[in-house]
Amino acid sequence: MAPFFAAPVLEESRKAPYWPSHEEPIPSLVSVTKGPTSMSHDRNPFPSSDQDRHEIWKMLVRNDVDGFVNEDWSIFGAAFKHDGFCGLDAKGSLDPSDWQVRFPTVETYRDAWLEDASRSAATAYAEDRRDALFRATNMLDIRVQGHTAMARKIFDDAMALAAGGLRD
């Protein structure tokens, strides 16, 4: 998973059955930075009655983690709108002036995501990788206004390595 990315997200996954209350797709801006986590493992913090936030969380957390663990871009990749995509690298900084465009296309982001997923799959962890990724992911800040949504996705936890130590 990349340290930071921003992207308008999907048209197809926002259509029925996921978005029956919306006629237009909802573009999203996704931000990933370091910060505190407080989200339960693999439990959607948004009730199904909060349909937009519930589905955005499912798409950008559950599908990302499941796709990543299985090294299967198709589980997560369908969520991206290709036109207008821009992926940023925050370089571990909360200061936007430090951020740089790293992924000018969904394809460049996909390639890096798959490379990270492969490297993660080849690493021996002392804990279940899927559980650890859910534990390390916080996406409680999702704001929806009309047909636009902004979700702030934070990765802030290290995974225990089988040989000892931690991987950030």
Side-chain angles (χ1 to χ4, degrees):
M1 291 188 225
F4 180 91
F5 69 92
V9 185
L10 173 42
E11 293 182 295
E12 272 62 35
S13 71
R14 303 239 180 202
K15 294 178 183 172
Y18 299 112
W19 303 97
S21 65
H22 300 287
E23 292 183 21
E24 297 283 324
I26 302 173
S28 296
L29 181 68
V30 179
S31 302
V32 180
T33 59
K34 296 291 259 178
T37 58
S38 61
M39 221 162 63
S40 297
H41 304 46
D42 193 16
R43 183 182 149 284
N44 193 324
F46 301 98
S48 57
S49 60
D50 186 353
Q51 184 180 11
D52 291 340
R53 287 173 185 81
H54 185 86
E55 291 300 325
I56 290 168
W57 185 92
K58 181 176 143 187
M59 182 179 9
L60 298 177
V61 177
R62 179 166 294 126
N63 292 354
D64 184 17
V65 169
D66 288 342
F68 191 81
V69 167
N70 291 296
E71 299 177 77
D72 185 352
W73 174 256
S74 69
I75 294 171
F76 179 55
F80 290 94
K81 181 179 176 190
H82 290 246
D83 183 37
F85 178 89
C86 176
L88 304 177
D89 184 347
K91 300 185 172 281
S93 173
L94 296 177
D95 181 354
S97 67
D98 294 331
W99 303 352
Q100 294 181 344
V101 173
R102 181 172 171 204
F103 310 106
T105 65
V106 171
E107 292 76 19
T108 57
Y109 179 70
R110 176 203 61 214
D111 294 347
W113 185 93
L114 286 168
E115 185 177 311
D116 287 347
S118 178
R119 185 174 29 257
S120 178
T123 302
Y125 292 99
E127 57 186 320
D128 180 82
R129 201 162 44 109
R130 183 178 187 273
D131 289 345
L133 288 168
F134 275 109
R135 176 179 41 78
T137 304
N138 176 326
M139 199 171 86
L140 297 173
D141 185 8
I142 300 174
R143 301 171 193 193
V144 179
Q145 187 171 20
H147 292 294
T148 301
M150 191 273 308
R152 198 167 78 114
K153 189 174 184 181
I154 301 166
F155 297 102
D156 186 33
D157 220 345
M159 295 171 63
L161 297 169
L166 299 171
R167 177 174 181 204
D168 289 324

